[in-house]
Amino acid sequence: TWPSLQVVFVVVSRRDDGSLGASIVDPHGDHLADAKGKLRALAQFAEDHGDRFVRIVSVAKGSDGTLRALDLLEPAVRQPVRDFSGAEVTALYDSEVALPYQ
């Protein structure tokens, strides 16, 4: 079983083989006091259950106002999320591990 996870969007799309696949798209940001904890929990969820999803991304506005995404299916993105010690997670969305959201 999965632990409780309340994401904002679960998107269902058709894969190349015709099967349906789910993606998690979770808007994020520093406006919530538990932003860092929730982002770490989503990264852990992606580690534990990512093979069942097409995408697991966390999306937030970067400091430049553009939408940036952390692709939590990528180990090279999950590790900086785990290691992040700053107070505001916007720094992660401004970093090299984030990509423009598409």
Side-chain angles (χ1 to χ4, degrees):
T1 65
W2 293 348
S4 176
L5 179 71
Q6 284 106 39
V7 295
V8 176
F9 298 105
V10 175
V11 179
V12 178
S13 60
R14 192 162 305 279
R15 295 180 174 157
D16 291 339
D17 67 2
S19 67
L20 296 178
S23 295
I24 293 173
V25 180
D26 195 43
H28 215 77
D30 289 315
H31 59 283
L32 299 172
D34 58 354
K36 185 169 32 175
K38 285 183 177 180
L39 186 57
R40 283 186 175 151
L42 187 58
Q44 187 61 52
F45 183 86
E47 174 89 17
D48 296 341
H49 306 289
D51 60 329
R52 301 178 187 187
F53 292 87
V54 176
R55 293 175 78 190
I56 299 178
V57 294
S58 179
V59 180
K61 272 190 185 178
S63 61
D64 64 358
T66 63
L67 287 179
R68 308 280 295 165
L70 296 171
D71 181 352
L72 297 171
L73 291 181
E74 292 295 326
V77 175
R78 288 194 304 267
Q79 194 60 51
V81 168
R82 283 189 195 102
D83 295 343
F84 184 71
S85 62
E88 297 183 353
V89 296
T90 300
L92 286 166
Y93 296 92
D94 287 338
S95 75
E96 67 281 349
V97 299
L99 300 170
Y101 177 65
Q102 298 183 20

